[in-house]
PDB file of all heavy atoms in Angstrom:
ATOM      1  N   ARG A   1    -125.680  78.159   8.351  1.00 97.00           N
ATOM      2  CA  ARG A   1    -126.521  79.230   8.905  1.00 97.00           C
ATOM      3  C   ARG A   1    -125.963  79.698  10.243  1.00 97.00           C
ATOM      4  O   ARG A   1    -125.887  80.909  10.505  1.00 97.00           O
ATOM      5  CB  ARG A   1    -127.955  78.736   9.068  1.00 97.00           C
ATOM      6  CG  ARG A   1    -128.889  79.766   9.697  1.00 97.00           C
ATOM      7  CD  ARG A   1    -130.291  79.190   9.855  1.00 97.00           C
ATOM      8  NE  ARG A   1    -131.133  80.064  10.650  1.00 97.00           N
ATOM      9  CZ  ARG A   1    -131.830  81.073  10.155  1.00 97.00           C
ATOM     10  NH1 ARG A   1    -131.783  81.334   8.857  1.00 97.00           N
ATOM     11  NH2 ARG A   1    -132.580  81.828  10.936  1.00 97.00           N
ATOM     12  N   LEU A   2    -125.554  78.749  11.099  1.00 97.00           N
ATOM     13  CA  LEU A   2    -124.976  79.110  12.392  1.00 97.00           C
ATOM     14  C   LEU A   2    -123.691  79.901  12.197  1.00 97.00           C
ATOM     15  O   LEU A   2    -123.476  80.931  12.858  1.00 97.00           O
ATOM     16  CB  LEU A   2    -124.694  77.852  13.218  1.00 97.00           C
ATOM     17  CG  LEU A   2    -123.888  78.056  14.509  1.00 97.00           C
ATOM     18  CD1 LEU A   2    -124.619  78.998  15.461  1.00 97.00           C
ATOM     19  CD2 LEU A   2    -123.598  76.717  15.174  1.00 97.00           C
ATOM     20  N   LEU A   3    -122.837  79.447  11.303  1.00 98.00           N
ATOM     21  CA  LEU A   3    -121.568  80.138  11.073  1.00 98.00           C
ATOM     22  C   LEU A   3    -121.804  81.547  10.534  1.00 98.00           C
ATOM     23  O   LEU A   3    -121.097  82.490  10.926  1.00 98.00           O
ATOM     24  CB  LEU A   3    -120.706  79.331  10.098  1.00 98.00           C
ATOM     25  CG  LEU A   3    -120.350  77.903  10.548  1.00 98.00           C
ATOM     26  CD1 LEU A   3    -119.504  77.218   9.483  1.00 98.00           C
ATOM     27  CD2 LEU A   3    -119.620  77.921  11.880  1.00 98.00           C
ATOM     28  N   ARG A   4    -122.795  81.684   9.672  1.00 97.00           N
ATOM     29  CA  ARG A   4    -123.114  83.009   9.134  1.00 97.00           C
ATOM     30  C   ARG A   4    -123.680  83.917  10.231  1.00 97.00           C
ATOM     31  O   ARG A   4    -123.367  85.114  10.289  1.00 97.00           O
ATOM     32  CB  ARG A   4    -124.108  82.884   7.986  1.00 97.00           C
ATOM     33  CG  ARG A   4    -124.391  84.210   7.283  1.00 97.00           C
ATOM     34  CD  ARG A   4    -125.190  84.006   6.008  1.00 97.00           C
ATOM     35  NE  ARG A   4    -126.501  83.408   6.258  1.00 97.00           N
ATOM     36  CZ  ARG A   4    -126.811  82.145   5.964  1.00 97.00           C
ATOM     37  NH1 ARG A   4    -125.918  81.346   5.401  1.00 97.00           N
ATOM     38  NH2 ARG A   4    -128.009  81.670   6.213  1.00 97.00           N
ATOM     39  N   CYS A   5    -124.501  83.340  11.112  1.00 97.00           N
ATOM     40  CA  CYS A   5    -125.064  84.123  12.214  1.00 97.00           C
ATOM     41  C   CYS A   5    -123.965  84.627  13.148  1.00 97.00           C
ATOM     42  O   CYS A   5    -124.005  85.771  13.618  1.00 97.00           O
ATOM     43  CB  CYS A   5    -126.062  83.278  13.008  1.00 97.00           C
ATOM     44  SG  CYS A   5    -127.660  83.034  12.193  1.00 97.00           S
ATOM     45  N   LEU A   6    -122.987  83.781  13.428  1.00 98.00           N
ATOM     46  CA  LEU A   6    -121.880  84.184  14.302  1.00 98.00           C
ATOM     47  C   LEU A   6    -121.034  85.266  13.639  1.00 98.00           C
ATOM     48  O   LEU A   6    -120.603  86.222  14.295  1.00 98.00           O
ATOM     49  CB  LEU A   6    -121.026  82.968  14.652  1.00 98.00           C
ATOM     50  CG  LEU A   6    -121.655  81.979  15.632  1.00 98.00           C
ATOM     51  CD1 LEU A   6    -120.907  80.648  15.617  1.00 98.00           C
ATOM     52  CD2 LEU A   6    -121.677  82.552  17.050  1.00 98.00           C
ATOM     53  N   GLU A   7    -120.815  85.114  12.343  1.00 98.00           N
ATOM     54  CA  GLU A   7    -120.048  86.133  11.618  1.00 98.00           C
ATOM     55  C   GLU A   7    -120.800  87.461  11.611  1.00 98.00           C
ATOM     56  O   GLU A   7    -120.217  88.529  11.847  1.00 98.00           O
ATOM     57  CB  GLU A   7    -119.785  85.668  10.188  1.00 98.00           C
ATOM     58  CG  GLU A   7    -118.949  86.644   9.376  1.00 98.00           C
ATOM     59  CD  GLU A   7    -118.631  86.119   7.984  1.00 98.00           C
ATOM     60  OE1 GLU A   7    -119.235  85.109   7.568  1.00 98.00           O
ATOM     61  OE2 GLU A   7    -117.777  86.723   7.303  1.00 98.00           O
ATOM     62  N   ASP A   8    -122.107  87.395  11.359  1.00 98.00           N
ATOM     63  CA  ASP A   8    -122.919  88.609  11.358  1.00 98.00           C
ATOM     64  C   ASP A   8    -122.928  89.266  12.731  1.00 98.00           C
ATOM     65  O   ASP A   8    -122.870  90.499  12.847  1.00 98.00           O
ATOM     66  CB  ASP A   8    -124.355  88.291  10.935  1.00 98.00           C
ATOM     67  CG  ASP A   8    -124.475  87.944   9.462  1.00 98.00           C
ATOM     68  OD1 ASP A   8    -123.515  88.212   8.707  1.00 98.00           O
ATOM     69  OD2 ASP A   8    -125.531  87.399   9.064  1.00 98.00           O
ATOM     70  N   ALA A   9    -123.018  88.451  13.792  1.00 98.00           N
ATOM     71  CA  ALA A   9    -123.057  88.999  15.150  1.00 98.00           C
ATOM     72  C   ALA A   9    -121.786  89.775  15.463  1.00 98.00           C
ATOM     73  O   ALA A   9    -121.829  90.837  16.100  1.00 98.00           O
ATOM     74  CB  ALA A   9    -123.260  87.871  16.162  1.00 98.00           C
ATOM     75  N   ALA A  10    -120.644  89.257  15.027  1.00 97.00           N
ATOM     76  CA  ALA A  10    -119.378  89.960  15.261  1.00 97.00           C
ATOM     77  C   ALA A  10    -119.373  91.308  14.538  1.00 97.00           C
ATOM     78  O   ALA A  10    -118.968  92.330  15.115  1.00 97.00           O
ATOM     79  CB  ALA A  10    -118.205  89.094  14.793  1.00 97.00           C
ATOM     80  N   LEU A  11    -119.838  91.315  13.293  1.00 97.00           N
ATOM     81  CA  LEU A  11    -119.892  92.568  12.532  1.00 97.00           C
ATOM     82  C   LEU A  11    -120.867  93.553  13.160  1.00 97.00           C
ATOM     83  O   LEU A  11    -120.604  94.760  13.235  1.00 97.00           O
ATOM     84  CB  LEU A  11    -120.295  92.275  11.087  1.00 97.00           C
ATOM     85  CG  LEU A  11    -119.299  91.463  10.245  1.00 97.00           C
ATOM     86  CD1 LEU A  11    -119.918  91.088   8.903  1.00 97.00           C
ATOM     87  CD2 LEU A  11    -118.009  92.248  10.041  1.00 97.00           C
ATOM     88  N   GLN A  12    -121.990  93.047  13.636  1.00 97.00           N
ATOM     89  CA  GLN A  12    -123.015  93.920  14.208  1.00 97.00           C
ATOM     90  C   GLN A  12    -122.583  94.485  15.557  1.00 97.00           C
ATOM     91  O   GLN A  12    -122.868  95.643  15.869  1.00 97.00           O
ATOM     92  CB  GLN A  12    -124.328  93.142  14.320  1.00 97.00           C
ATOM     93  CG  GLN A  12    -124.944  92.850  12.964  1.00 97.00           C
ATOM     94  CD  GLN A  12    -125.946  91.716  12.989  1.00 97.00           C
ATOM     95  OE1 GLN A  12    -126.073  91.008  13.983  1.00 97.00           O
ATOM     96  NE2 GLN A  12    -126.661  91.532  11.881  1.00 97.00           N
ATOM     97  N   ALA A  13    -121.899  93.670  16.351  1.00 97.00           N
ATOM     98  CA  ALA A  13    -121.387  94.186  17.623  1.00 97.00           C
ATOM     99  C   ALA A  13    -120.374  95.295  17.372  1.00 97.00           C
ATOM    100  O   ALA A  13    -120.354  96.315  18.082  1.00 97.00           O
ATOM    101  CB  ALA A  13    -120.742  93.045  18.424  1.00 97.00           C
ATOM    102  N   ARG A  14    -119.552  95.111  16.352  1.00 97.00           N
ATOM    103  CA  ARG A  14    -118.568  96.145  16.009  1.00 97.00           C
ATOM    104  C   ARG A  14    -119.265  97.425  15.538  1.00 97.00           C
ATOM    105  O   ARG A  14    -118.877  98.540  15.922  1.00 97.00           O
ATOM    106  CB  ARG A  14    -117.630  95.605  14.929  1.00 97.00           C
ATOM    107  CG  ARG A  14    -116.409  96.474  14.653  1.00 97.00           C
ATOM    108  CD  ARG A  14    -115.444  95.786  13.700  1.00 97.00           C
ATOM    109  NE  ARG A  14    -114.742  94.682  14.349  1.00 97.00           N
ATOM    110  CZ  ARG A  14    -114.891  93.400  14.021  1.00 97.00           C
ATOM    111  NH1 ARG A  14    -115.737  93.049  13.052  1.00 97.00           N
ATOM    112  NH2 ARG A  14    -114.206  92.462  14.640  1.00 97.00           N
ATOM    113  N   ALA A  15    -120.321  97.269  14.744  1.00 97.00           N
ATOM    114  CA  ALA A  15    -121.051  98.435  14.238  1.00 97.00           C
ATOM    115  C   ALA A  15    -121.766  99.175  15.369  1.00 97.00           C
ATOM    116  O   ALA A  15    -121.742 100.407  15.437  1.00 97.00           O
ATOM    117  CB  ALA A  15    -122.060  97.998  13.171  1.00 97.00           C
ATOM    118  N   LEU A  16    -122.387  98.424  16.277  1.00 98.00           N
ATOM    119  CA  LEU A  16    -123.075  99.062  17.397  1.00 98.00           C
ATOM    120  C   LEU A  16    -122.077  99.750  18.312  1.00 98.00           C
ATOM    121  O   LEU A  16    -122.329 100.866  18.799  1.00 98.00           O
ATOM    122  CB  LEU A  16    -123.886  98.023  18.179  1.00 98.00           C
ATOM    123  CG  LEU A  16    -124.659  98.542  19.394  1.00 98.00           C
ATOM    124  CD1 LEU A  16    -125.638  99.640  18.996  1.00 98.00           C
ATOM    125  CD2 LEU A  16    -125.394  97.392  20.097  1.00 98.00           C
ATOM    126  N   GLY A  17    -120.928  99.117  18.528  1.00 97.00           N
ATOM    127  CA  GLY A  17    -119.901  99.737  19.360  1.00 97.00           C
ATOM    128  C   GLY A  17    -119.393 101.042  18.764  1.00 97.00           C
ATOM    129  O   GLY A  17    -119.199 102.029  19.485  1.00 97.00           O
ATOM    130  N   ALA A  18    -119.205 101.060  17.445  1.00 96.00           N
ATOM    131  CA  ALA A  18    -118.732 102.280  16.785  1.00 96.00           C
ATOM    132  C   ALA A  18    -119.779 103.386  16.889  1.00 96.00           C
ATOM    133  O   ALA A  18    -119.446 104.555  17.129  1.00 96.00           O
ATOM    134  CB  ALA A  18    -118.410 101.987  15.321  1.00 96.00           C
ATOM    135  N   ALA A  19    -121.052 103.024  16.708  1.00 97.00           N
ATOM    136  CA  ALA A  19    -122.123 104.013  16.821  1.00 97.00           C
ATOM    137  C   ALA A  19    -122.214 104.550  18.244  1.00 97.00           C
ATOM    138  O   ALA A  19    -122.418 105.753  18.451  1.00 97.00           O
ATOM    139  CB  ALA A  19    -123.454 103.387  16.395  1.00 97.00           C
ATOM    140  N   LEU A  20    -122.047 103.671  19.221  1.00 97.00           N
ATOM    141  CA  LEU A  20    -122.100 104.104  20.621  1.00 97.00           C
ATOM    142  C   LEU A  20    -120.923 105.011  20.950  1.00 97.00           C
ATOM    143  O   LEU A  20    -121.075 106.005  21.685  1.00 97.00           O
ATOM    144  CB  LEU A  20    -122.114 102.884  21.537  1.00 97.00           C
ATOM    145  CG  LEU A  20    -122.242 103.154  23.039  1.00 97.00           C
ATOM    146  CD1 LEU A  20    -123.454 104.016  23.351  1.00 97.00           C
ATOM    147  CD2 LEU A  20    -122.311 101.834  23.804  1.00 97.00           C
ATOM    148  N   ASP A  21    -119.751 104.715  20.416  1.00 95.00           N
ATOM    149  CA  ASP A  21    -118.591 105.588  20.620  1.00 95.00           C
ATOM    150  C   ASP A  21    -118.864 106.985  20.064  1.00 95.00           C
ATOM    151  O   ASP A  21    -118.453 107.991  20.661  1.00 95.00           O
ATOM    152  CB  ASP A  21    -117.355 104.997  19.940  1.00 95.00           C
ATOM    153  CG  ASP A  21    -116.711 103.875  20.757  1.00 95.00           C
ATOM    154  OD1 ASP A  21    -116.945 103.828  21.979  1.00 95.00           O
ATOM    155  OD2 ASP A  21    -115.977 103.060  20.165  1.00 95.00           O
ATOM    156  N   THR A  22    -119.549 107.048  18.918  1.00 94.00           N
ATOM    157  CA  THR A  22    -119.890 108.346  18.331  1.00 94.00           C
ATOM    158  C   THR A  22    -120.827 109.122  19.245  1.00 94.00           C
ATOM    159  O   THR A  22    -120.667 110.337  19.446  1.00 94.00           O
ATOM    160  CB  THR A  22    -120.549 108.147  16.951  1.00 94.00           C
ATOM    161  OG1 THR A  22    -119.626 107.477  16.082  1.00 94.00           O
ATOM    162  CG2 THR A  22    -120.934 109.483  16.332  1.00 94.00           C
ATOM    163  N   VAL A  23    -121.806 108.437  19.819  1.00 94.00           N
ATOM    164  CA  VAL A  23    -122.734 109.084  20.753  1.00 94.00           C
ATOM    165  C   VAL A  23    -121.987 109.581  21.978  1.00 94.00           C
ATOM    166  O   VAL A  23    -122.183 110.717  22.437  1.00 94.00           O
ATOM    167  CB  VAL A  23    -123.857 108.112  21.151  1.00 94.00           C
ATOM    168  CG1 VAL A  23    -124.679 108.680  22.314  1.00 94.00           C
ATOM    169  CG2 VAL A  23    -124.770 107.811  19.965  1.00 94.00           C
ATOM    170  N   LEU A  24    -121.113 108.749  22.537  1.00 94.00           N
ATOM    171  CA  LEU A  24    -120.353 109.148  23.725  1.00 94.00           C
ATOM    172  C   LEU A  24    -119.497 110.376  23.441  1.00 94.00           C
ATOM    173  O   LEU A  24    -119.407 111.288  24.274  1.00 94.00           O
ATOM    174  CB  LEU A  24    -119.483 107.983  24.194  1.00 94.00           C
ATOM    175  CG  LEU A  24    -120.195 106.884  24.983  1.00 94.00           C
ATOM    176  CD1 LEU A  24    -119.302 105.647  25.110  1.00 94.00           C
ATOM    177  CD2 LEU A  24    -120.593 107.378  26.369  1.00 94.00           C
ATOM    178  N   ALA A  25    -118.858 110.385  22.279  1.00 92.00           N
ATOM    179  CA  ALA A  25    -118.014 111.532  21.927  1.00 92.00           C
ATOM    180  C   ALA A  25    -118.861 112.798  21.793  1.00 92.00           C
ATOM    181  O   ALA A  25    -118.470 113.877  22.253  1.00 92.00           O
ATOM    182  CB  ALA A  25    -117.262 111.252  20.627  1.00 92.00           C
ATOM    183  N   ALA A  26    -120.044 112.674  21.184  1.00 90.00           N
ATOM    184  CA  ALA A  26    -120.913 113.832  21.011  1.00 90.00           C
ATOM    185  C   ALA A  26    -121.428 114.357  22.348  1.00 90.00           C
ATOM    186  O   ALA A  26    -121.657 115.558  22.511  1.00 90.00           O
ATOM    187  CB  ALA A  26    -122.080 113.472  20.098  1.00 90.00           C
ATOM    188  N   LEU A  27    -121.595 113.442  23.308  1.00 89.00           N
ATOM    189  CA  LEU A  27    -122.047 113.836  24.642  1.00 89.00           C
ATOM    190  C   LEU A  27    -120.913 114.385  25.495  1.00 89.00           C
ATOM    191  O   LEU A  27    -121.144 114.864  26.604  1.00 89.00           O
ATOM    192  CB  LEU A  27    -122.677 112.638  25.361  1.00 89.00           C
ATOM    193  CG  LEU A  27    -124.018 112.128  24.837  1.00 89.00           C
ATOM    194  CD1 LEU A  27    -124.386 110.820  25.522  1.00 89.00           C
ATOM    195  CD2 LEU A  27    -125.104 113.161  25.040  1.00 89.00           C
ATOM    196  N   GLY A  28    -119.681 114.274  24.999  1.00 88.00           N
ATOM    197  CA  GLY A  28    -118.535 114.669  25.806  1.00 88.00           C
ATOM    198  C   GLY A  28    -118.273 113.697  26.923  1.00 88.00           C
ATOM    199  O   GLY A  28    -117.681 114.042  27.954  1.00 88.00           O
ATOM    200  N   ALA A  29    -118.699 112.424  26.743  1.00 80.00           N
ATOM    201  CA  ALA A  29    -118.591 111.420  27.797  1.00 80.00           C
ATOM    202  C   ALA A  29    -117.668 110.272  27.418  1.00 80.00           C
ATOM    203  O   ALA A  29    -117.656 109.242  28.089  1.00 80.00           O
ATOM    204  CB  ALA A  29    -119.979 110.869  28.137  1.00 80.00           C
ATOM    205  N   ALA A  30    -116.896 110.421  26.339  1.00 76.00           N
ATOM    206  CA  ALA A  30    -115.986 109.359  25.924  1.00 76.00           C
ATOM    207  C   ALA A  30    -114.913 109.146  26.983  1.00 76.00           C
ATOM    208  O   ALA A  30    -114.507 110.079  27.680  1.00 76.00           O
ATOM    209  CB  ALA A  30    -115.352 109.699  24.581  1.00 76.00           C
ATOM    210  N   ALA A  31    -114.459 107.910  27.109  1.00 68.00           N
ATOM    211  CA  ALA A  31    -113.394 107.610  28.058  1.00 68.00           C
ATOM    212  C   ALA A  31    -112.130 108.366  27.654  1.00 68.00           C
ATOM    213  O   ALA A  31    -111.819 108.470  26.466  1.00 68.00           O
ATOM    214  CB  ALA A  31    -113.122 106.106  28.087  1.00 68.00           C
ATOM    215  N   PRO A  32    -111.384 108.908  28.624  1.00 64.00           N
ATOM    216  CA  PRO A  32    -110.159 109.632  28.282  1.00 64.00           C
ATOM    217  C   PRO A  32    -109.104 108.690  27.714  1.00 64.00           C
ATOM    218  O   PRO A  32    -108.857 107.622  28.263  1.00 64.00           O
ATOM    219  CB  PRO A  32    -109.710 110.212  29.634  1.00 64.00           C
ATOM    220  CG  PRO A  32    -110.346 109.323  30.657  1.00 64.00           C
ATOM    221  CD  PRO A  32    -111.646 108.879  30.064  1.00 64.00           C
ATOM    222  N   GLY A  33    -108.499 109.087  26.607  1.00 58.00           N
ATOM    223  CA  GLY A  33    -107.458 108.273  25.988  1.00 58.00           C
ATOM    224  C   GLY A  33    -108.046 107.087  25.253  1.00 58.00           C
ATOM    225  O   GLY A  33    -109.213 106.751  25.396  1.00 58.00           O
ATOM    226  N   PRO A  34    -107.225 106.405  24.433  1.00 60.00           N
ATOM    227  CA  PRO A  34    -107.716 105.250  23.678  1.00 60.00           C
ATOM    228  C   PRO A  34    -108.028 104.088  24.609  1.00 60.00           C
ATOM    229  O   PRO A  34    -107.358 103.863  25.613  1.00 60.00           O
ATOM    230  CB  PRO A  34    -106.548 104.917  22.737  1.00 60.00           C
ATOM    231  CG  PRO A  34    -105.334 105.457  23.440  1.00 60.00           C
ATOM    232  CD  PRO A  34    -105.801 106.691  24.172  1.00 60.00           C
ATOM    233  N   ARG A  35    -109.083 103.336  24.268  1.00 56.00           N
ATOM    234  CA  ARG A  35    -109.447 102.161  25.046  1.00 56.00           C
ATOM    235  C   ARG A  35    -108.457 101.048  24.738  1.00 56.00           C
ATOM    236  O   ARG A  35    -108.142 100.805  23.576  1.00 56.00           O
ATOM    237  CB  ARG A  35    -110.870 101.733  24.680  1.00 56.00           C
ATOM    238  CG  ARG A  35    -111.475 100.685  25.601  1.00 56.00           C
ATOM    239  CD  ARG A  35    -112.888 100.326  25.136  1.00 56.00           C
ATOM    240  NE  ARG A  35    -113.778 101.468  25.175  1.00 56.00           N
ATOM    241  CZ  ARG A  35    -114.489 101.886  24.132  1.00 56.00           C
ATOM    242  NH1 ARG A  35    -114.389 101.286  22.971  1.00 56.00           N
ATOM    243  NH2 ARG A  35    -115.287 102.924  24.245  1.00 56.00           N
ATOM    244  N   PRO A  36    -107.912 100.349  25.745  1.00 59.00           N
ATOM    245  CA  PRO A  36    -106.962  99.279  25.462  1.00 59.00           C
ATOM    246  C   PRO A  36    -107.616  98.180  24.648  1.00 59.00           C
ATOM    247  O   PRO A  36    -108.779  97.833  24.901  1.00 59.00           O
ATOM    248  CB  PRO A  36    -106.570  98.774  26.861  1.00 59.00           C
ATOM    249  CG  PRO A  36    -107.673  99.219  27.761  1.00 59.00           C
ATOM    250  CD  PRO A  36    -108.167 100.507  27.189  1.00 59.00           C
ATOM    251  N   PRO A  37    -106.912  97.626  23.658  1.00 59.00           N
ATOM    252  CA  PRO A  37    -107.513  96.585  22.834  1.00 59.00           C
ATOM    253  C   PRO A  37    -107.727  95.316  23.647  1.00 59.00           C
ATOM    254  O   PRO A  37    -107.018  95.060  24.627  1.00 59.00           O
ATOM    255  CB  PRO A  37    -106.458  96.359  21.735  1.00 59.00           C
ATOM    256  CG  PRO A  37    -105.169  96.781  22.365  1.00 59.00           C
ATOM    257  CD  PRO A  37    -105.517  97.912  23.283  1.00 59.00           C
TER     258      PRO A  37
END
């Protein structure tokens, strides 16, 4: 259960980050250039 929760958290953080990037782009507030990995 713990391992599944950690795996889910990683996927969910990635999904929330992608959604937030979409909002930033729509607002014209995205960081200039690609974000360093």
Side-chain angles (χ1 to χ4, degrees):
R1 177 181 170 87
L2 171 60
L3 301 180
R4 185 170 62 253
C5 285
L6 287 165
E7 182 177 12
D8 289 345
L11 294 172
Q12 290 160 350
R14 190 173 288 114
L16 180 58
L20 183 54
D21 281 338
T22 299
V23 170
L24 281 167
L27 290 171
R35 191 180 298 126

